[in-house]
Amino acid sequence: MTDATNPAPPTSDDWWRSAVVYQVYVRSFADADGDGVGDLRGIRERLPYLRDLGIDAVWLTPFYTSPQVDAGYDVADYRDVDPLFGTLTDFDAMTTDAHALGLRIIVDLVPNHTSDRHPWFRAALAAAPGSPERGFYHFADGRGEHGELPPNDWESIFGGPAWTRVPDGQWYLHLFDPAQPDLNWRHPPVRAEFEDVLRFWLDRGVDGFRIDVAHGMIKAEGLPDVGFNSMTTGRRQSELLGKGRLPYFDQDEVHDIYRAWRPILDSYPGGRMAVAEAWAETPQRLARYIGPDELHQAFSFDFLDATWSVDSFRKVIDTALAESTIVGAPTTWVLSNHDRQRHVTRYGDGEVGLRRARAAALLMLALPGCAYLYQGEELGLPEVLDIPDTLRQDPAFLRTGESRDGCRVPIPWSGELAPYGFGPAGSELSWLPAPSTWRALSVAAQSGVPGSTLELYRTALRVRHEHPALAGTAGGVTWLESEPGLLAFHRTGGGTTLTCVVNLSGAPAEVAGHGRPIVASDELTERGSRHTLPVDAAVWFERRRAG
Ligand code: GLC
């Protein structure tokens, strides 16, 4: 085994404030052993690609020992690597190489629930109702004359009741799949275990954690009913995610957990951080997860959910920046992840979606704060909408008919035939099939091609790092009043002004007076100092102060 404590790269402890983090969906990034599933060795081999792309950190989705019912978000051993993905030795080697290339490593921590194969849950099932073993989870007697009804009306995010009955008649809570029982975080040994798990990975050199379902660990005392669910009114409780209160999410006491974790993170050198996947009723409640005594960041999903209009983007950007100023932590922008339809497809059909996605990338990368990219967005990958039902693997699909598989298709690297270099030479295996149109979208097909989405990302990321107006971690944006349908703002630094203009007007738009275009998502037409932006295009202009 390599040295367990890999030194962090020698940069500032505040690296996360302006970082660009690239989400690697481990099973779909690169497959070194040819079994059709991505792995840690595959990631290690592709680290130079990530360094050249110009990102700062890599977030890896769960690679821990798991029956893979929910693609690894059902963890059976928090301290080991699933053989599907490699070994701890592979993890250490990958981390060492990443650090040598100046890349940070963020791992996914899944504290809300374990796998039903976790030793704790197996022990709980084997023990009697009321036993200490059952205290690790939420076991309860059912309602009804014979306890034949679930203990309350809570609904799984994946559809159906959030309770499953065990042979002795009790029920256990699972806010996701029945194979993901929720832990009882009021039980002290649960807290102690996760503090130790944090240390385990920090000792191995990880630079941060993405906290899965960070708003979920504490449930309201007495487990009160919500009052409706799809069985009673046809309305799903998950509609309230990010919009209303639910007794199983965003309870005040969850913050005690993060106040206990922060000193652990701070006790390690090099700026170890944590980002919350959290849903709260308001931006103000979401902001409570971040700050000097809790977590460093929380994803701003409002940006991802913004519609293609000036008003929508301005509102979410202003709100997010205002909140981040209050809590003194950077905004965290994200357009896509492994749970959501890819933004190329969200923004429109075919070319429209791609044009808008390219423009949205320039918008996001010009904003102050930290940006999270999802693997494949730098290639302009669309959602794969026509995966045959028989091949779909998302557990939510069976319960709701909705599936997240379309954004999880393996990355096309090179070559003429699917899966386009995902595995070693000659391997035809991939756990989800890639469409034939992806031949033209592979890394090899786009590398060095002017105007390709990959080259646009490479250029934008390089400029973002080097440009004095963008490189700073602090500050807001100055909105420019402009023609209707244009979103325009500037940032300044080092005697320069960088202006980002996005054309959301639905027609070509003429702009002038912002200086020289340095990055554009589409071709501009130039007439003297005036530039015409095509529909759905974004551009960065630069002006240097005279003298
Ligand atoms: C998070 C993950 C998602 C997973 C769920 C349950 O939302 O992003 O992929 O299914 O948690 O762990």
Side-chain angles (χ1 to χ4, degrees), residues 453-513:
T453 304
L454 178 56
E455 292 302 335
L456 174 69
Y457 268 78
R458 284 179 174 158
T459 306
L461 289 168
R462 181 177 46 73
V463 173
R464 179 185 156 104
H465 272 281
E466 291 170 359
H467 204 281
L470 296 185
T473 58
V477 302
T478 307
W479 293 109
L480 306 174
E481 293 320 323
S482 53
E483 300 299 312
L486 296 190
L487 188 74
F489 62 87
H490 71 220
R491 296 178 62 195
T492 52
T496 66
T497 300
L498 189 133
T499 304
C500 174
V501 184
V502 190
N503 181 5
L504 300 117
S505 72
E510 206 168 80
V511 291

Side-chain angles (χ1 to χ4, degrees), residues 14 51 81 84 169 196 260 289 349 428 513:
D14 272 354
R51 189 254 337 259
V81 175
L84 191 61
D196 195 63
Y289 288 80
D349 289 337
E428 289 172 10

Side-chain angles (χ1 to χ4, degrees), residues 70 73 113 158 176 210 212-213 277 338-339 404 408:
D70 185 20
Y73 283 96
H113 44 263
F158 290 167
F176 294 89
R210 178 259 188 192
D212 187 63
V213 195
E277 182 221 16
H338 66 293
D339 291 330
R404 299 166 291 177
R408 299 176 174 181

Side-chain angles (χ1 to χ4, degrees), residues 303 313-322 333 363 367 479 487:
F303 185 67
F313 276 123
R314 249 194 97 150
K315 190 164 159 242
V316 299
I317 293 169
D318 277 338
T319 308
L321 289 177
W333 312 107
L363 167 62
L367 291 168
W479 293 109
L487 188 74

